[in-house]
Amino acid sequence: MKHVLEFEKPVIKLREEIEEARKKMASKPSDKLAAQIIDMENKAEALLRDIHTNLNPWQRVQISRHINRPFMLDYVKHCCDDFTELHGDRHIGDDHAMPAGFATWGGKKVVVIGHQKGRDTKENLLRNFGSAHPEGYRKALRLMRMAEKFGLPIVTLIDTPGAFPGIGAEERNIAEAIAFNLREMMLLKTPIVAVVIGEGGSGGALGIGIADKVLMMENAYYSVISPEGCAAILWKHREHAPEAASALKLSAQDLSKLGIIDGIVPEPAGGAHNDHFAAAEALKGTVLSAINDLEKLSTADLLEGRYQKFRALGKFTEN
């Protein structure tokens, strides 16, 4: 059964009417019916455009979680000519929630790392719903150091509700693994481009999010806490998630205005879940452009720019 968001239903209903009209047209051609179909198609396009031009933050959160939205490996498949996955953190084991490896991105050799979700129960159990364990972050850092050694740019694709909060992850020190990544990524002598392609949840996202260029897909979100988690703390009930989403300023549009991110990757009409190829083409070109710009910088300028970028985040006033 197709996953339909509440605010998409008017468009879906109109498209179903168009499909019915086309069936009638096939059995009994009519100039009047043909004109009606064209009119309905124009209305559907206009309605879709109007809905997605006026999305609120909570609606964008819903789109970022859409089950048909392209995941990390979907983008790798479309954006990379080849991908050789590497496994294991050399301490505990492998983490299927965070695939990583060497790839050729638009003709440029890179290391790609990201969170991967699943589309059914079996795959979600394998991928741990996109929530990485400590070994995922340690594997990511291992590959980042390899990228630095061989002079390869790093591309990270972020899509996680958050790092895994289970007992095993705590026993293996997930907080230390993420914190260590934050420090080490700041010092890597190679260009880093991070893109939030779906959910950008808390430290789980930040653990591979320290970059020279931080980008977001148009309907992604990036936040210190999920809207539901925020609502549970402030309003004592998850039903206030839409209000929390607005207050958190978690959308790409808000974060761009605040200077937290460096750019927004446009999505096709109706969101990336409606056209994987178009979304991937937009991502591919934007990331390639960012890498080309960063490679023009000297190592000293690259590191200084990265340092100043994160030092400038956040503002405070004193009386």
Side-chain angles (χ1 to χ4, degrees), residues 181-188 210 303 306-307 310:
N181 276 24
L182 303 187
R183 188 187 74 180
E184 294 302 301
M185 288 184 76
M186 189 64 73
L187 303 174
L188 289 171
I210 302 298
L303 292 174
R306 191 183 303 160
Y307 174 78
F310 285 92

Side-chain angles (χ1 to χ4, degrees), residues 154-224:
I154 298 165
V155 179
T156 67
L157 302 179
I158 298 165
D159 188 12
T160 181
F164 187 55
I167 294 174
E170 297 292 350
E171 288 175 342
R172 298 192 301 279
N173 212 341
I174 194 162
E176 184 272 345
I178 292 173
F180 194 69
N181 276 24
L182 303 187
R183 188 187 74 180
E184 294 302 301
M185 288 184 76
M186 189 64 73
L187 303 174
L188 289 171
K189 298 180 178 68
T190 194
I192 310 171
V193 178
V195 188
V196 184
I197 59 173
E199 292 189 270
S202 192
L206 203 57
I208 57 169
I210 302 298
D212 304 293
K213 294 285 185 182
V214 179
L215 310 171
M216 286 179 68
M217 297 297 290
E218 185 180 349
N219 292 310
Y221 83 87
Y222 199 14
S223 175
V224 69

Side-chain angles (χ1 to χ4, degrees), residues 6-7 10 14 23 29 33 69 81 122 145 163 167 181-182 200 218 234 239 244 286 296:
E6 189 65 33
F7 56 88
L14 192 50
K23 289 178 182 177
L33 188 56
R69 193 172 175 83
D81 300 321
K122 183 178 179 181
R145 285 172 169 163
I167 294 174
N181 276 24
L182 303 187
E218 185 180 349
L234 296 183
E239 68 180 14
T286 306
K296 296 174 184 176

Side-chain angles (χ1 to χ4, degrees), residues 56 59 83 98-99 179 186 190 203 215 235 244 246 290 302:
N56 61 47
Q59 289 171 330
F83 176 61
M98 193 170 305
M186 189 64 73
T190 194
L215 310 171
W235 287 278
S246 296
L302 185 76

